[in-house]
Amino acid sequence: MIENIQVTAKRNFVPKDNDLYVVIGKRVFSDFSEFSFQRDIEQIPSSFEMTIPIVASDFPKEIKDNQELMIYKNKKQVFHGYMEQFNVAVQGNQQHSLTIAGRSKVRDLCDPNPIIGGTSIENVQGLSDLVQIFSTMYNVPFINKSVVADKTAWGSVPFNLGDTAFDVISRYARYEGKLLYDDGYGSLIINDVVSSGNLTFNSESPLTSYMFESDLTNRFKEYRVYWQPFTTQSQTGLPPYKAAFDPEPQIWNATQRIKVMINSTSDENGSIAARLATYEANRQWGRSKSIRITLSNWKDADQQFYDVNQLVSVDLPLINVHQQQMVITNVNYQYSNDGSYCTLTLYPQKALGFEPVALYTSQPGLQALPEDRKSVV
């Protein structure tokens, strides 16, 4: 049917109600066989996919490669990006469907390779300064929500020809212990891992389904990081190592389940190796425990859309989860003629630690890790 398509000017479009609307060029689509819009705390850019029923006589002329696209829900814009894929499938003589997929504007930080002369970017005083350089270059805004100050003034940042902007930014974000994610509107978000919140899911919440999953495939009882001391002395036998243990070592009993990792970074006293072992133990434990919740709407009781990096208290005895603090790491907003619903994926905070990295720059202060601090602030 073509009733789902209205013609309007994109700049003047104002949703008339809380329904879902997708604006492509000067066309507004409001009837969908399927629709999903997904955001992830550790993967950018955000993405969408939708299927629209149309008739053969009215293939939308706005459907073109790389067409700009806006998505509105509850009278608000929730997405700004590009149409990157589409296909048309025919069933019968007239009725056929159009499937469109794409990503947010933040893709422009992730795909192209910036051309910068030399081997470094100069006059960079912190993460915001670094992001601002690429934000201006690609016209992608950013919002720094972090309340933790950067370690020090950086000065010079190494740059390798062939890197993407996000390659450079993410290296330094990990070094500083900051999350990078996409708000869907076309902005890059810099933030700390959430440490407080007032959202609760329990048996009285509007849940349509929920599931707890435990998968210890990638967990080990002990994590050993062998490291090379900063010395020219010859060595025999195994190099020294630092170790960390699974947060639940008792489940392994007497099993000798050891994960060996090699740290080739010059590490005079083993501090990098020790932190890497702890990081790996905590992350693999956290990633082994997930909860997936499906709700009957996109928004919570305060009328805000469910979002990544929200801390939630989960109390669902039917899946043996009792007052656990979990972080929303993925949100999948879905919509069809039957209504809207939202699927959330949650992990413990330990799953969101930052891998220790050492940066080699002209600034000696950056060649060591920041002072040990909690990655959850």
Side-chain angles (χ1 to χ4, degrees), residues 27-84:
R27 290 250 181 155
V28 180
F29 298 85
S30 60
D31 185 26
F32 308 90
S33 302
E34 295 179 340
F35 176 91
S36 66
F37 162 40
Q38 186 167 217
R39 298 179 54 226
D40 193 282
I41 203 171
E42 292 185 319
Q43 182 175 349
I44 66 169
S46 57
S47 61
F48 76 93
E49 181 173 327
M50 64 182 185
T51 300
I52 306 167
I54 59 175
V55 296
S57 61
D58 194 65
F59 184 84
K61 64 181 180 181
E62 285 79 11
I63 304 304
K64 303 174 183 177
D65 289 335
N66 206 37
Q67 180 67 45
E68 198 168 4
L69 176 145
M70 310 280 189
I71 299 174
Y72 296 84
K73 184 72 169 71
N74 290 4
K75 299 182 179 180
K76 296 183 292 187
Q77 181 184 328
V78 297
F79 183 86
H80 184 187
Y82 299 95
M83 186 176 65
E84 297 182 308

CSV table of all heavy atoms in Angstrom, one decimal, residues 27-84:
chain,number,residue,atom,x,y,z
A,27,ARG,N,10.2,12.6,1.4
A,27,ARG,CA,9.2,11.5,1.7
A,27,ARG,C,9.3,11.1,3.2
A,27,ARG,O,10.3,11.0,3.8
A,27,ARG,CB,9.5,10.3,0.8
A,27,ARG,CG,9.2,10.5,-0.6
A,27,ARG,CD,7.9,9.8,-1.0
A,27,ARG,NE,7.6,10.0,-2.4
A,27,ARG,CZ,6.9,9.1,-3.2
A,27,ARG,NH1,6.5,8.0,-2.6
A,27,ARG,NH2,6.7,9.4,-4.4
A,28,VAL,N,8.1,10.9,3.7
A,28,VAL,CA,7.9,10.4,5.1
A,28,VAL,C,7.3,9.1,5.0
A,28,VAL,O,6.2,8.9,4.5
A,28,VAL,CB,7.1,11.4,5.9
A,28,VAL,CG1,7.0,10.9,7.3
A,28,VAL,CG2,7.7,12.8,5.9
A,29,PHE,N,8.0,8.1,5.6
A,29,PHE,CA,7.5,6.7,5.7
A,29,PHE,C,7.0,6.5,7.1
A,29,PHE,O,7.7,6.8,8.1
A,29,PHE,CB,8.6,5.7,5.4
A,29,PHE,CG,9.1,5.9,4.0
A,29,PHE,CD1,10.1,6.8,3.7
A,29,PHE,CD2,8.6,5.1,3.0
A,29,PHE,CE1,10.7,6.9,2.4
A,29,PHE,CE2,9.1,5.2,1.7
A,29,PHE,CZ,10.1,6.1,1.4
A,30,SER,N,5.8,5.9,7.2
A,30,SER,CA,5.2,5.7,8.5
A,30,SER,C,4.6,4.3,8.7
A,30,SER,O,3.9,4.1,9.7
A,30,SER,CB,4.1,6.8,8.8
A,30,SER,OG,3.1,6.7,7.8
A,31,ASP,N,4.7,3.4,7.7
A,31,ASP,CA,4.2,2.1,7.8
A,31,ASP,C,5.3,1.1,7.5
A,31,ASP,O,5.9,1.2,6.5
A,31,ASP,CB,3.0,1.9,6.9
A,31,ASP,CG,2.4,0.5,7.0
A,31,ASP,OD1,2.4,0.0,8.1
A,31,ASP,OD2,1.8,0.0,6.0
A,32,PHE,N,5.6,0.2,8.4
A,32,PHE,CA,6.7,-0.7,8.3
A,32,PHE,C,6.3,-2.1,8.6
A,32,PHE,O,5.6,-2.4,9.5
A,32,PHE,CB,7.8,-0.3,9.3
A,32,PHE,CG,8.1,1.2,9.3
A,32,PHE,CD1,7.5,2.1,10.1
A,32,PHE,CD2,9.1,1.7,8.5
A,32,PHE,CE1,7.8,3.5,10.1
A,32,PHE,CE2,9.4,3.0,8.4
A,32,PHE,CZ,8.8,3.9,9.2
A,33,SER,N,6.8,-3.0,7.7
A,33,SER,CA,6.6,-4.4,8.0
A,33,SER,C,7.6,-4.8,9.1
A,33,SER,O,7.2,-5.6,10.0
A,33,SER,CB,7.0,-5.2,6.8
A,33,SER,OG,6.2,-4.9,5.7
A,34,GLU,N,8.8,-4.2,9.1
A,34,GLU,CA,9.8,-4.4,10.2
A,34,GLU,C,10.6,-3.2,10.3
A,34,GLU,O,10.9,-2.5,9.3
A,34,GLU,CB,10.6,-5.7,9.9
A,34,GLU,CG,9.9,-7.0,9.9
A,34,GLU,CD,10.9,-8.1,9.5
A,34,GLU,OE1,12.0,-7.9,9.0
A,34,GLU,OE2,10.5,-9.3,9.9
A,35,PHE,N,11.1,-3.0,11.5
A,35,PHE,CA,12.0,-1.8,11.8
A,35,PHE,C,12.8,-2.2,13.0
A,35,PHE,O,12.3,-2.6,14.0
A,35,PHE,CB,11.2,-0.5,12.0
A,35,PHE,CG,12.2,0.6,12.4
A,35,PHE,CD1,12.7,1.5,11.4
A,35,PHE,CD2,12.5,0.9,13.7
A,35,PHE,CE1,13.5,2.5,11.7
A,35,PHE,CE2,13.4,1.9,14.0
A,35,PHE,CZ,13.9,2.7,13.0
A,36,SER,N,14.1,-1.9,12.9
A,36,SER,CA,15.0,-2.0,14.1
A,36,SER,C,16.1,-1.0,14.0
A,36,SER,O,16.6,-0.6,12.9
A,36,SER,CB,15.6,-3.4,14.2
A,36,SER,OG,16.5,-3.7,13.1
A,37,PHE,N,16.5,-0.5,15.2
A,37,PHE,CA,17.5,0.6,15.3
A,37,PHE,C,18.3,0.2,16.5
A,37,PHE,O,17.8,0.0,17.6
A,37,PHE,CB,16.8,1.9,15.5
A,37,PHE,CG,17.7,3.0,16.1
A,37,PHE,CD1,19.0,3.2,15.7
A,37,PHE,CD2,17.2,3.9,17.0
A,37,PHE,CE1,19.8,4.2,16.2
A,37,PHE,CE2,17.9,4.9,17.5
A,37,PHE,CZ,19.2,5.1,17.2
A,38,GLN,N,19.6,0.0,16.3
A,38,GLN,CA,20.5,-0.6,17.4
A,38,GLN,C,21.7,0.2,17.7
A,38,GLN,O,22.3,0.9,16.9
A,38,GLN,CB,21.0,-2.0,16.8
A,38,GLN,CG,21.8,-2.8,17.9
A,38,GLN,CD,22.0,-4.2,17.5
A,38,GLN,OE1,21.9,-5.1,18.3
A,38,GLN,NE2,22.2,-4.4,16.2
A,39,ARG,N,21.9,0.3,19.1
A,39,ARG,CA,23.1,1.0,19.6
A,39,ARG,C,23.8,0.1,20.6
A,39,ARG,O,23.2,-0.7,21.3
A,39,ARG,CB,22.6,2.3,20.3
A,39,ARG,CG,21.9,3.3,19.4
A,39,ARG,CD,21.5,4.5,20.1
A,39,ARG,NE,22.6,5.1,20.8
A,39,ARG,CZ,22.5,5.6,22.0
A,39,ARG,NH1,21.4,5.5,22.7
A,39,ARG,NH2,23.6,6.1,22.6
A,40,ASP,N,25.1,0.3,20.6
A,40,ASP,CA,26.0,-0.6,21.4
A,40,ASP,C,27.0,0.3,22.1
A,40,ASP,O,27.6,1.2,21.5
A,40,ASP,CB,26.6,-1.7,20.6
A,40,ASP,CG,27.3,-2.8,21.4
A,40,ASP,OD1,28.4,-2.5,21.9
A,40,ASP,OD2,26.7,-3.8,21.5
A,41,ILE,N,27.4,-0.1,23.3
A,41,ILE,CA,28.3,0.7,24.1
A,41,ILE,C,29.7,0.6,23.7
A,41,ILE,O,30.6,1.4,24.0
A,41,ILE,CB,28.2,0.3,25.6
A,41,ILE,CG1,28.7,1.4,26.5
A,41,ILE,CG2,28.9,-1.0,25.9
A,41,ILE,CD1,28.4,1.2,28.0
A,42,GLU,N,30.0,-0.5,22.9
A,42,GLU,CA,31.4,-0.7,22.5
A,42,GLU,C,31.5,-0.9,21.0
A,42,GLU,O,32.6,-1.3,20.5
A,42,GLU,CB,31.9,-2.0,23.2
A,42,GLU,CG,32.1,-1.8,24.7
A,42,GLU,CD,32.8,-3.0,25.3
A,42,GLU,OE1,32.4,-4.2,25.0
A,42,GLU,OE2,33.7,-2.8,26.2
A,43,GLN,N,30.5,-0.5,20.3
A,43,GLN,CA,30.6,-0.7,18.8
A,43,GLN,C,29.9,0.5,18.2
A,43,GLN,O,28.7,0.8,18.4
A,43,GLN,CB,29.9,-2.0,18.3
A,43,GLN,CG,30.0,-2.2,16.8
A,43,GLN,CD,29.5,-3.5,16.4
A,43,GLN,OE1,29.3,-4.4,17.2
A,43,GLN,NE2,29.3,-3.8,15.1
A,44,ILE,N,30.6,1.3,17.4
A,44,ILE,CA,30.0,2.4,16.6
A,44,ILE,C,30.3,2.2,15.1
A,44,ILE,O,31.3,1.5,14.8
A,44,ILE,CB,30.4,3.8,17.2
A,44,ILE,CG1,31.9,4.0,16.9
A,44,ILE,CG2,30.1,3.9,18.6
A,44,ILE,CD1,32.4,5.4,17.1
A,45,PRO,N,29.5,2.8,14.3
A,45,PRO,CA,28.3,3.7,14.5
A,45,PRO,C,27.0,2.8,14.8
A,45,PRO,O,27.0,1.6,14.6
A,45,PRO,CB,28.2,4.5,13.3
A,45,PRO,CG,28.7,3.6,12.2
A,45,PRO,CD,29.8,2.8,12.8
A,46,SER,N,26.0,3.5,15.3
A,46,SER,CA,24.7,2.8,15.4
A,46,SER,C,24.1,2.5,14.0
A,46,SER,O,24.5,3.1,13.1
A,46,SER,CB,23.7,3.7,16.2
A,46,SER,OG,23.6,4.9,15.6
A,47,SER,N,23.2,1.6,14.0
A,47,SER,CA,22.7,1.1,12.7
A,47,SER,C,21.2,0.9,12.7
A,47,SER,O,20.6,0.8,13.8
A,47,SER,CB,23.4,-0.2,12.3
A,47,SER,OG,23.1,-1.2,13.2
A,48,PHE,N,20.6,0.9,11.6
A,48,PHE,CA,19.2,0.6,11.5
A,48,PHE,C,18.9,-0.3,10.3
A,48,PHE,O,19.7,-0.4,9.3
A,48,PHE,CB,18.4,1.9,11.3
A,48,PHE,CG,18.5,2.5,9.9
A,48,PHE,CD1,17.5,2.2,9.0
A,48,PHE,CD2,19.6,3.3,9.6
A,48,PHE,CE1,17.6,2.7,7.7
A,48,PHE,CE2,19.7,3.8,8.3
A,48,PHE,CZ,18.7,3.6,7.3
A,49,GLU,N,17.7,-0.9,10.3
A,49,GLU,CA,17.2,-1.6,9.1
A,49,GLU,C,15.7,-1.6,9.2
A,49,GLU,O,15.1,-1.7,10.2
A,49,GLU,CB,17.7,-3.1,9.2
A,49,GLU,CG,17.2,-3.9,8.0
A,49,GLU,CD,17.8,-5.3,7.9
A,49,GLU,OE1,19.0,-5.4,8.3
A,49,GLU,OE2,17.2,-6.2,7.4
A,50,MET,N,15.1,-1.4,8.0
A,50,MET,CA,13.6,-1.4,8.0
A,50,MET,C,13.1,-1.9,6.6
A,50,MET,O,13.8,-1.9,5.6
A,50,MET,CB,13.1,0.1,8.1
A,50,MET,CG,13.5,1.0,7.0
A,50,MET,SD,12.9,2.7,7.4
A,50,MET,CE,13.4,3.5,5.9
A,51,THR,N,11.9,-2.5,6.7
A,51,THR,CA,11.3,-3.0,5.5
A,51,THR,C,9.9,-2.3,5.3
A,51,THR,O,9.1,-2.2,6.3
A,51,THR,CB,11.0,-4.5,5.6
A,51,THR,OG1,12.3,-5.2,5.8
A,51,THR,CG2,10.3,-5.1,4.4
A,52,ILE,N,9.7,-1.8,4.1
A,52,ILE,CA,8.5,-1.0,3.8
A,52,ILE,C,7.7,-1.7,2.7
A,52,ILE,O,8.3,-2.0,1.7
A,52,ILE,CB,8.9,0.4,3.3
A,52,ILE,CG1,9.9,1.1,4.3
A,52,ILE,CG2,7.7,1.3,3.0
A,52,ILE,CD1,10.5,2.3,3.8
A,53,PRO,N,6.4,-1.9,2.9
A,53,PRO,CA,5.6,-2.4,1.8
A,53,PRO,C,5.3,-1.3,0.8
A,53,PRO,O,4.9,-0.2,1.1
A,53,PRO,CB,4.3,-2.9,2.5
A,53,PRO,CG,4.2,-2.0,3.7
A,53,PRO,CD,5.6,-1.7,4.1
A,54,ILE,N,5.5,-1.6,-0.5
A,54,ILE,CA,5.2,-0.6,-1.6
A,54,ILE,C,4.5,-1.4,-2.7
A,54,ILE,O,4.4,-2.6,-2.7
A,54,ILE,CB,6.4,0.1,-2.1
A,54,ILE,CG1,7.5,-0.8,-2.6
A,54,ILE,CG2,7.0,1.0,-1.0
A,54,ILE,CD1,8.7,-0.2,-3.2
A,55,VAL,N,4.0,-0.6,-3.7
A,55,VAL,CA,3.5,-1.2,-4.9
A,55,VAL,C,4.4,-0.9,-6.1
A,55,VAL,O,5.2,0.1,-6.0
A,55,VAL,CB,2.1,-0.7,-5.2
A,55,VAL,CG1,1.1,-1.2,-4.1
A,55,VAL,CG2,2.0,0.8,-5.4
A,56,ALA,N,4.4,-1.7,-7.1
A,56,ALA,CA,5.4,-1.5,-8.2
A,56,ALA,C,5.3,-0.2,-8.9
A,56,ALA,O,6.3,0.3,-9.4
A,56,ALA,CB,5.2,-2.6,-9.2
A,57,SER,N,4.1,0.5,-8.9
A,57,SER,CA,3.9,1.7,-9.6
A,57,SER,C,4.4,2.9,-8.8
A,57,SER,O,4.4,4.0,-9.3
A,57,SER,CB,2.4,1.9,-9.9
A,57,SER,OG,1.7,2.0,-8.7
A,58,ASP,N,4.9,2.7,-7.6
A,58,ASP,CA,5.3,3.8,-6.8
A,58,ASP,C,6.6,3.6,-6.0
A,58,ASP,O,6.7,3.7,-4.8
A,58,ASP,CB,4.2,4.2,-5.7
A,58,ASP,CG,4.4,5.5,-5.1
A,58,ASP,OD1,4.3,6.5,-5.8
A,58,ASP,OD2,4.7,5.6,-3.9
A,59,PHE,N,7.6,3.2,-6.8
A,59,PHE,CA,8.9,3.0,-6.2
A,59,PHE,C,9.5,4.4,-5.8
A,59,PHE,O,9.6,5.3,-6.7
A,59,PHE,CB,9.9,2.3,-7.1
A,59,PHE,CG,11.2,2.1,-6.5
A,59,PHE,CD1,11.4,0.9,-5.7
A,59,PHE,CD2,12.3,3.0,-6.7
A,59,PHE,CE1,12.7,0.7,-5.2
A,59,PHE,CE2,13.5,2.7,-6.1
A,59,PHE,CZ,13.7,1.6,-5.3
A,60,PRO,N,9.8,4.7,-4.6
A,60,PRO,CA,10.2,6.0,-4.1
A,60,PRO,C,11.5,6.5,-4.8
A,60,PRO,O,12.5,5.9,-4.8
A,60,PRO,CB,10.4,5.9,-2.6
A,60,PRO,CG,9.7,4.6,-2.3
A,60,PRO,CD,9.8,3.7,-3.4
A,61,LYS,N,11.4,7.6,-5.5
A,61,LYS,CA,12.5,8.2,-6.2
A,61,LYS,C,13.6,8.6,-5.3
A,61,LYS,O,14.8,8.8,-5.7
A,61,LYS,CB,12.1,9.3,-7.1
A,61,LYS,CG,11.5,10.5,-6.4
A,61,LYS,CD,11.1,11.6,-7.4
A,61,LYS,CE,10.6,12.8,-6.6
A,61,LYS,NZ,10.1,13.9,-7.6
A,62,GLU,N,13.3,8.9,-4.0
A,62,GLU,CA,14.3,9.3,-3.0
A,62,GLU,C,15.2,8.2,-2.6
A,62,GLU,O,16.2,8.4,-2.0
A,62,GLU,CB,13.6,9.8,-1.7
A,62,GLU,CG,12.9,11.2,-1.9
A,62,GLU,CD,11.6,11.1,-2.6
A,62,GLU,OE1,11.1,10.0,-2.8
A,62,GLU,OE2,11.1,12.2,-2.9
A,63,ILE,N,14.9,6.9,-3.0
A,63,ILE,CA,15.8,5.8,-2.6
A,63,ILE,C,17.0,5.8,-3.5
A,63,ILE,O,17.0,5.4,-4.7
A,63,ILE,CB,15.0,4.5,-2.7
A,63,ILE,CG1,13.8,4.5,-1.8
A,63,ILE,CG2,15.9,3.4,-2.3
A,63,ILE,CD1,14.0,4.9,-0.4
A,64,LYS,N,18.1,6.4,-3.0
A,64,LYS,CA,19.3,6.5,-3.8
A,64,LYS,C,20.5,6.1,-2.9
A,64,LYS,O,20.4,6.2,-1.6
A,64,LYS,CB,19.5,7.9,-4.3
A,64,LYS,CG,18.4,8.5,-5.1
A,64,LYS,CD,18.6,10.0,-5.4
A,64,LYS,CE,17.5,10.5,-6.2
A,64,LYS,NZ,17.7,12.0,-6.5
A,65,ASP,N,21.6,5.8,-3.5
A,65,ASP,CA,22.8,5.5,-2.7
A,65,ASP,C,23.2,6.7,-1.8
A,65,ASP,O,23.2,7.8,-2.3
A,65,ASP,CB,23.9,5.1,-3.6
A,65,ASP,CG,23.7,3.7,-4.2
A,65,ASP,OD1,23.0,2.9,-3.7
A,65,ASP,OD2,24.3,3.5,-5.3
A,66,ASN,N,23.5,6.4,-0.6
A,66,ASN,CA,24.1,7.4,0.3
A,66,ASN,C,23.1,8.6,0.6
A,66,ASN,O,23.5,9.7,1.0
A,66,ASN,CB,25.4,8.0,-0.2
A,66,ASN,CG,26.3,8.5,0.9
A,66,ASN,OD1,26.3,7.9,2.0
A,66,ASN,ND2,26.9,9.6,0.6
A,67,GLN,N,21.8,8.3,0.6
A,67,GLN,CA,20.8,9.3,0.8
A,67,GLN,C,20.7,9.6,2.3
A,67,GLN,O,20.7,8.6,3.2
A,67,GLN,CB,19.4,8.9,0.4
A,67,GLN,CG,18.3,9.8,0.6
A,67,GLN,CD,18.5,11.1,-0.2
A,67,GLN,OE1,18.8,11.1,-1.4
A,67,GLN,NE2,18.3,12.3,0.4
A,68,GLU,N,20.7,10.8,2.7
A,68,GLU,CA,20.6,11.2,4.1
A,68,GLU,C,19.2,10.8,4.7
A,68,GLU,O,18.2,10.8,3.9
A,68,GLU,CB,20.8,12.7,4.3
A,68,GLU,CG,21.1,13.1,5.7
A,68,GLU,CD,21.6,14.6,5.8
A,68,GLU,OE1,21.6,15.3,4.7
A,68,GLU,OE2,21.9,15.0,6.9
A,69,LEU,N,19.1,10.5,5.9
A,69,LEU,CA,17.9,9.9,6.5
A,69,LEU,C,17.7,10.4,8.0
A,69,LEU,O,18.7,10.5,8.7
A,69,LEU,CB,18.0,8.4,6.4
A,69,LEU,CG,16.9,7.5,7.0
A,69,LEU,CD1,16.7,6.3,6.2
A,69,LEU,CD2,17.4,7.1,8.4
A,70,MET,N,16.5,10.7,8.4
A,70,MET,CA,16.2,11.0,9.7
A,70,MET,C,15.1,10.1,10.3
A,70,MET,O,14.2,9.7,9.5
A,70,MET,CB,15.6,12.5,9.8
A,70,MET,CG,16.5,13.5,9.1
A,70,MET,SD,17.9,14.0,10.1
A,70,MET,CE,18.4,15.4,9.1
A,71,ILE,N,15.2,9.7,11.5
A,71,ILE,CA,14.2,8.9,12.2
A,71,ILE,C,13.6,9.6,13.4
A,71,ILE,O,14.3,10.2,14.2
A,71,ILE,CB,14.8,7.5,12.6
A,71,ILE,CG1,15.3,6.8,11.4
A,71,ILE,CG2,13.7,6.7,13.4
A,71,ILE,CD1,16.0,5.5,11.8
A,72,TYR,N,12.3,9.6,13.5
A,72,TYR,CA,11.6,10.3,14.6
A,72,TYR,C,10.7,9.3,15.3
A,72,TYR,O,10.1,8.4,14.7
A,72,TYR,CB,10.7,11.4,14.0
A,72,TYR,CG,11.4,12.5,13.3
A,72,TYR,CD1,11.7,12.4,12.0
A,72,TYR,CD2,11.7,13.7,14.0
A,72,TYR,CE1,12.4,13.4,11.3
A,72,TYR,CE2,12.4,14.7,13.3
A,72,TYR,CZ,12.7,14.6,12.0
A,72,TYR,OH,13.4,15.6,11.4
A,73,LYS,N,10.7,9.5,16.7
A,73,LYS,CA,9.8,8.6,17.5
A,73,LYS,C,9.4,9.5,18.7
A,73,LYS,O,10.2,10.2,19.3
A,73,LYS,CB,10.5,7.4,18.0
A,73,LYS,CG,9.6,6.4,18.8
A,73,LYS,CD,8.6,5.7,17.9
A,73,LYS,CE,7.9,4.6,18.7
A,73,LYS,NZ,7.0,5.1,19.8
A,74,ASN,N,8.1,9.4,19.1
A,74,ASN,CA,7.6,10.2,20.2
A,74,ASN,C,7.8,11.7,20.0
A,74,ASN,O,8.2,12.4,20.9
A,74,ASN,CB,8.2,9.7,21.6
A,74,ASN,CG,7.8,8.4,22.0
A,74,ASN,OD1,7.0,7.7,21.3
A,74,ASN,ND2,8.2,7.9,23.2
A,75,LYS,N,7.7,12.1,18.8
A,75,LYS,CA,7.8,13.5,18.4
A,75,LYS,C,9.2,14.1,18.5
A,75,LYS,O,9.4,15.3,18.5
A,75,LYS,CB,6.8,14.4,19.1
A,75,LYS,CG,5.3,14.0,19.0
A,75,LYS,CD,4.4,15.0,19.7
A,75,LYS,CE,3.0,14.6,19.5
A,75,LYS,NZ,2.1,15.5,20.3
A,76,LYS,N,10.2,13.2,18.6
A,76,LYS,CA,11.6,13.6,18.7
A,76,LYS,C,12.4,12.9,17.7
A,76,LYS,O,12.2,11.7,17.3
A,76,LYS,CB,12.1,13.3,20.1
A,76,LYS,CG,11.4,14.1,21.2
A,76,LYS,CD,12.1,13.9,22.5
A,76,LYS,CE,11.8,12.4,23.0
A,76,LYS,NZ,12.3,12.2,24.4
A,77,GLN,N,13.4,13.6,17.2
A,77,GLN,CA,14.4,12.9,16.3
A,77,GLN,C,15.3,12.0,17.1
A,77,GLN,O,15.8,12.4,18.1
A,77,GLN,CB,15.3,14.0,15.6
A,77,GLN,CG,16.3,13.3,14.6
A,77,GLN,CD,17.2,14.4,14.0
A,77,GLN,OE1,16.8,15.5,13.8
A,77,GLN,NE2,18.4,14.0,13.7
A,78,VAL,N,15.4,10.7,16.7
A,78,VAL,CA,16.2,9.8,17.4
A,78,VAL,C,17.4,9.2,16.6
A,78,VAL,O,18.2,8.5,17.1
A,78,VAL,CB,15.4,8.6,17.9
A,78,VAL,CG1,14.3,9.1,18.9
A,78,VAL,CG2,14.7,7.8,16.8
A,79,PHE,N,17.5,9.6,15.3
A,79,PHE,CA,18.5,9.1,14.5
A,79,PHE,C,18.8,10.1,13.3
A,79,PHE,O,17.9,10.7,12.8
A,79,PHE,CB,18.2,7.7,14.0
A,79,PHE,CG,19.2,7.1,13.1
A,79,PHE,CD1,20.2,6.3,13.8
A,79,PHE,CD2,19.3,7.2,11.8
A,79,PHE,CE1,21.2,5.7,13.0
A,79,PHE,CE2,20.3,6.6,11.0
A,79,PHE,CZ,21.2,5.8,11.6
A,80,HIS,N,20.1,10.2,13.0
A,80,HIS,CA,20.5,11.0,11.8
A,80,HIS,C,21.6,10.2,11.2
A,80,HIS,O,22.7,10.0,11.8
A,80,HIS,CB,21.0,12.4,12.2
A,80,HIS,CG,21.3,13.3,11.1
A,80,HIS,ND1,21.9,14.5,11.3
A,80,HIS,CD2,21.2,13.1,9.8
A,80,HIS,CE1,22.1,15.1,10.1
A,80,HIS,NE2,21.7,14.2,9.2
A,81,GLY,N,21.4,9.8,9.9
A,81,GLY,CA,22.4,9.0,9.3
A,81,GLY,C,22.2,8.9,7.8
A,81,GLY,O,21.7,9.8,7.2
A,82,TYR,N,22.7,7.7,7.2
A,82,TYR,CA,22.7,7.6,5.8
A,82,TYR,C,22.2,6.2,5.4
A,82,TYR,O,22.4,5.2,6.1
A,82,TYR,CB,24.2,7.7,5.2
A,82,TYR,CG,24.8,9.0,5.5
A,82,TYR,CD1,25.7,9.2,6.6
A,82,TYR,CD2,24.6,10.1,4.6
A,82,TYR,CE1,26.3,10.4,6.8
A,82,TYR,CE2,25.2,11.3,4.9
A,82,TYR,CZ,26.0,11.5,5.9
A,82,TYR,OH,26.6,12.7,6.2
A,83,MET,N,21.5,6.2,4.3
A,83,MET,CA,21.0,4.9,3.7
A,83,MET,C,22.2,4.3,2.9
A,83,MET,O,22.7,4.9,2.0
A,83,MET,CB,19.8,5.2,2.8
A,83,MET,CG,19.2,4.0,2.3
A,83,MET,SD,17.7,4.5,1.3
A,83,MET,CE,18.5,5.4,0.0
A,84,GLU,N,22.6,3.1,3.3
A,84,GLU,CA,23.8,2.5,2.7
A,84,GLU,C,23.5,1.3,1.9
A,84,GLU,O,24.3,0.9,1.0
A,84,GLU,CB,24.8,2.2,3.8
A,84,GLU,CG,25.4,3.4,4.5
A,84,GLU,CD,26.4,3.1,5.5
A,84,GLU,OE1,26.2,2.2,6.4
A,84,GLU,OE2,27.5,3.7,5.5
